[in-house]
Amino acid sequence: MDGRDLVRSVKMVGSVQGLRMVRAAWRRQRADARVPAPRGAERARVPGLLVSAEPGPGGGVVKFARSELLIRVSVGGAVFWSWDGAEPLPSYALPGAAPEPDPRAVLEPDKNGGWQVVSERLTVVVSRHGAVELRTPGGVVLRRELPPRWWEPVGGGAARWVQRSEVPADARFFGLGGRAGGPRLRGGTYRLWNTDPGGRFGPGDDPLYLTMPVQVVVSDAGTHLAFHDNTWAGRVTLREGEEGAGSGHDRPGTCEVRMEGGPLRCWVVAGTPARVLQGWTALSGAPALPPSWALGPQHARWGFGSEAEVRRIVAGYRERGLPLSVLHLDIDHFDAHRVFTVDRERFPDLPGLAKELREDGVRLVSIVDPAVKASAGNSVFDSGREVGDAGAFVRDPRGRPVLGEVWPGECVYPDFTDPLVREWWGALYEERLSQGFSGVWHDMNEPVAFTAFGDPSLPRSARHALEGRGGDHREAHNVYGLAMARAGYEGLLRLRPQERPFLFSRSGWAGMQRYGGTWSGDVATGWPGLRASLALVLGLGLCGVPYSGPDVGGFDGFPSPELYLRWFQLGAYLPLFRTHAAIDAGRREPWEFGPEVLAHARAAMEERERLRPYFVTLAQLARLTGAPYVRPVWWGASADRALRECEDAFLLGDSLLVAPVMEHGADRRAVRLPRGRWYDTATGAAYEGPGQVLVDAPLSRIPVLARAGAVIPVRGADGGLELEVWAPAAGRGGGGLVVRDAGDGWARAEVERYTSRVADGRVVVEREGVEGRVAYPVRVRGLPGQR
């Protein structure tokens, strides 16, 4: 650290806290210099030549001179493989027992001197040197894993490893959690280490808050998802392939996964995109179903400051006829930033305020940070010290609580990898519920420790329970936010079992969807930040987290009226529709940007409310099938290479294609269409895909196109549910699904299937399995002369 680092830290948060940050940084540096011990001399190892094989359930074990490979095909079709005896469990990604092996999958010799396992969806071929090929039933190679390499410390300790893979030359990579430069991941290195980028981020920043070793690969051969189940710090280096590269031969795409330690094990799911996400959800758990009110417009600001300001903002929405479902309170409502407290001077009657707002249809959601102020007399700190034999907090190798500088000052960190700590922490949410909050918003849970320089996380030598196995922060860091989300979700469920918990978290890991959603974090205000917002939602959806959204308008800075409106219009079609900003970044209420923006923002909000039954349906389908609300345009046509290149539009469910405006001054834009007929929902104009069309995008709206034949549940003029049907093309049919809103409890979802067709010049809509008239009003659109 040099003098500039010191000056920067002092300027950022004030001289006293800045100096404490310097002290914390030095403390962390000293701890990591001692423990973990330097790796020293290492031995490199590869599997060696094949020796023998032992068939077993769903596959078997292939033995090499210096290692062994386990292959197991599950009943659902997912393939698990691992080296050196690693089993599927324990795993933070899997919610319970590993899936049962498929008894039909048998390990058998192949014709090239290796071994193979043939299953319904994949054939796994193992070479004599330890390469693993994943082939389609037709024999086309989806992925080829080269023999891995380990580096083992001579003096003992965790081995680091590298796994290199090859994919078809036309393949495109997606996923790896929340990546601002996506959704398509071009050549480069992506870190696996959940990180607060420090105030704001844009498309060039990596890593961010929620990284996952989950990659989705799309090629002509098919789609597959590969998940390297390892929580340690790592790096993934991708390189796209090239067809006809060098003497007419293809150069395959490559993926290199490097991990600092932990098991080398992987799950692969293959098929259509829908089947891949369904299989991944079966492995990692069904997404938590948000309460229906969480699908409406939401508003937040760091710096409301008082009950009076909260009432003023809600009144502003109501006076202007704007819908509002949720209002979020940031850290400024806490007493001296201490979690699970309330500043009684500025919020003298928070339960009364929450009751008043709820009667007006607005729910309150509270921010919750993990850092606990380390001071005697703080009830959370005092009660945490009594948990278990050693207390609730992360400790250093000498057994002392790890201290870090966060908003309240010097803090300790609950060890959420300990079941006793999760139970204790979940019980603390009773205070939030008693204050009238309907849900929680987890922040700063990468976890963050303010530092004058370097990585703003805990020392890598810090000790964690890791479900009783024990280990250090290198293994626990990436699942810290996931384990905190589990603690919060399970706590809310115990406290109010009759209601579905509402929780979303800035950080997490594979399986995060079981406990809630996420949001963009501190996305930079600017057109690049707007583009990053869509990239994050699409990428996270492909990793199994369907409920997410950005800070509309950007977290920092002052958006222009045009930028704010275009961001607002995009947000209206994303699962989490929330405005939010930093304490010094101005306001994000729609009326603050002038009457023209207000009028167009009102139209976007009204359309969101009209589509609320569709969002309810998409939420239920995400839980049942794993399909995200927001999908890449290649979702139903992954073999269309032009669609695989499209990153500036998305499908909302199966029925709508949304093309946000992400460039300054644009009033028209090109839209890449999948196959079939598509209607501009504003003008009624019909377009035929596949292909690219140029459509109007005035400041008043962004292009939204409906698939011909689609049956979409919407809110009618009387507030009831009606079916909006877009006329099928001649000789073709269509349809859609409807799941009615059953409230915020646990009523079982009933999926209603509807079909549409043209008969005798009329559009006929029918419910499958039910004779007679459809129970809802039906409005047909897309007919000649009709908008």
Side-chain angles (χ1 to χ4, degrees), residues 89-95 231 415-423 463-472 475-476 479-480 482-484 486-487 490 514-515:
L89 297 176
S91 169
Y92 278 97
L94 275 59
T231 69
D415 181 7
F416 296 115
T417 69
D418 185 334
L420 286 177
V421 176
R422 289 198 295 269
E423 184 176 1
R463 303 296 300 174
H464 292 261
L466 287 166
E467 315 307 318
R469 293 180 287 113
D472 63 38
E475 184 176 0
V479 293
Y480 189 88
L482 171 73
M484 180 185 179
R486 178 180 178 181
E490 292 178 348
R514 299 193 297 266
Y515 312 118

Side-chain angles (χ1 to χ4, degrees), residues 298-320:
Q298 306 185 36
H299 186 78
R301 192 205 311 153
W302 179 13
F304 280 130
S306 68
E307 286 187 13
E309 177 66 3
V310 169
R311 287 191 174 91
R312 188 188 73 82
I313 294 300
V314 174
Y317 274 88
R318 294 296 180 248
E319 290 166 4
R320 293 168 177 85

Side-chain angles (χ1 to χ4, degrees), residues 170-175 179-187 190 216 238 240-241 535 538-539 542 632 634 641-647:
D170 66 288
R172 295 293 180 258
F173 296 97
F174 301 85
R179 304 287 169 173
R184 172 183 161 195
L185 302 179
R186 289 167 171 77
Y190 301 87
V216 175
L238 304 176
E240 293 181 344
L538 280 166
L542 291 173
W634 47 259
R641 295 190 179 187
L643 291 180
R644 295 206 296 259
E645 307 297 322
C646 179
E647 300 181 88

Side-chain angles (χ1 to χ4, degrees), residues 134-212:
L134 301 166
R135 300 176 182 174
T136 67
V140 179
V141 176
L142 280 176
R143 187 181 189 94
R144 185 170 189 263
E145 306 282 355
L146 303 177
R149 182 181 292 268
W150 295 266
W151 289 268
E152 300 167 329
V154 172
R160 57 190 180 95
W161 54 262
V162 61
Q163 173 72 70
R164 296 183 176 93
S165 311
E166 294 178 348
V167 296
D170 66 288
R172 295 293 180 258
F173 296 97
F174 301 85
L176 295 182
R179 304 287 169 173
R184 172 183 161 195
L185 302 179
R186 289 167 171 77
T189 298
Y190 301 87
R191 287 185 61 201
L192 298 172
W193 186 258
N194 294 345
T195 303
D196 177 3
R200 63 177 183 172
F201 69 86
D205 293 305
D206 184 270
L208 298 179
Y209 314 96
L210 205 164
T211 67
M212 296 186 205

Side-chain angles (χ1 to χ4, degrees), residues 306-307 310-311 327 329-330 333-334 341-344 346-358 364-366 431-437:
S306 68
E307 286 187 13
V310 169
R311 287 191 174 91
L327 190 135
L329 295 189
D330 211 318
H333 86 280
F334 286 133
T341 67
V342 175
D343 186 324
R344 300 293 180 183
R346 291 182 294 165
F347 291 87
D349 184 17
L350 195 49
L353 174 66
K355 182 175 183 294
E356 175 187 325
L357 295 182
R358 188 162 181 166
L364 279 184
V365 166
S366 169
E431 183 275 339
R432 295 287 85 188
L433 296 178
S434 69
Q435 296 294 338
F437 290 107

Side-chain angles (χ1 to χ4, degrees), residues 716-776:
D718 62 353
L721 191 149
E722 71 176 31
L723 301 181
E724 182 172 270
V725 181
W726 289 88
R732 304 178 195 168
L737 303 175
V738 177
V739 182
R740 286 178 288 183
D741 187 353
D744 298 332
W746 300 96
R748 184 174 179 178
E750 180 183 358
V751 180
E752 304 173 6
R753 301 177 181 273
Y754 293 86
T755 60
S756 66
R757 57 187 174 87
V758 176
D760 300 326
R762 297 175 54 250
V763 175
V764 177
V765 179
E766 298 170 309
R767 180 178 173 184
E768 287 188 0
V770 178
E771 295 183 359
R773 294 176 61 86
V774 171
Y776 310 117

